Amino acid sequence: MKKITVLDIGKMKGEGEKIPVLTAYDYTMAKILDEAGVPIILIGDSAGMVFAGYKNTLSVTMDEIRYHTRAVANGTKNAMIVADMPFLSYQTSVEDAKRNAGLLVQEGAEAVKLEGGVVVADTISAIIDMGVPVMGHIGLTPQAIHRMGGYKVQGKEKKQRKRLFDDARAVEKAGAFSVVLEGMPSDLAREITEAISLPTIGIGAGPHCDGQVLVIHDILGLYDNIKPRFIKRYANLKELISSAVNVYVEDVKKGRFPGKEHSF
Ligand code: KIV
């Protein structure tokens, strides 16, 4: 395995090779994903919900994403590391955005992701001009949950579809190396994927995107506060962990642990 870069990701689209992306927030998980050959590891601001238990992603801070990025970078050899820019780290000014993107790179990120299309196009260009690749994120953008009136599929109406198309074009023109398409009808995601040159990474956007991204806690069955339809569960680690912990608790209570082999 070799280090994955933006060039490899672009090539994957060119060659029709699908791009699997997963989130990680800590060293141990990043090492597992990296060794499994996941090409892109995303330090998503979803950390706020699945790691810290916040009710949405809006309270996630730069300090938190910096900490998670450092931990993930320590566990990653080959995957490309993309760090999410949290709410308020790029919306306030282009200067803030550049500085915060730079801070994430100093922690080990090799690219940053930020939400929005037309309205953040100048910000995306400015970060890229600094030498930092950017992944866009359009459609259902969780940092705009209050404006959208909840986690609602976007682009169902004609006017909205056009807006999302404009967003995709703006992110492409700004120079992003890829774009997340979240929560939109499959046929719209397909049209966007066919129309733009950069790889599209879908989440709740159907099968036609160039890649797919999911939150690691969701696919492993660790987080069950919400279970949107677009999630596929590949394991039930919550159940596995619960039964292991129950056995441990019983072992300690009954004096079965530690045994001779664990003692000095
Ligand atoms: O925060 C996150 O994990 C994300 C992905 C799910 C796209 O933005």
Side-chain angles (χ1 to χ4, degrees), residues 188-240:
L188 174 59
R190 176 186 220 154
E191 279 177 34
I192 293 176
T193 300
E194 287 170 356
I196 63 176
S197 56
L198 58 158
T200 58
I201 311 292
I203 173 163
H208 308 296
C209 298
D210 299 305
Q212 297 290 328
V213 57
L214 283 173
V215 169
I216 190 71
H217 288 58
D218 289 334
I219 73 159
L220 297 181
L222 283 167
Y223 182 81
D224 55 9
N225 294 17
I226 47 169
K227 193 181 173 297
R229 163 163 159 201
F230 60 79
I231 289 170
K232 181 169 175 188
R233 215 158 254 174
Y234 289 84
N236 191 345
L237 290 200
K238 182 179 172 182
E239 217 170 274
L240 214 66

Side-chain angles (χ1 to χ4, degrees), residues 10 47 84 92 104 107 112 125 158 174 185-186 188 212 214 246 249 257 260:
D84 241 348
T92 41
L104 294 175
E107 302 293 359
V112 296
S125 298
K158 208 169 162 196
S186 304
L188 174 59
Q212 297 290 328
L214 283 173
N246 283 336
V249 168
F257 176 83
K260 260 205 191 123

Side-chain angles (χ1 to χ4, degrees), residues 23 25 42 44-46 84 113 137 180 182 203 213 215:
T23 66
Y25 318 104
L42 171 69
D45 60 0
S46 50
D84 241 348
K113 172 166 86 57
H137 183 160
V180 169
E182 177 162 356
I203 173 163
V213 57
V215 169

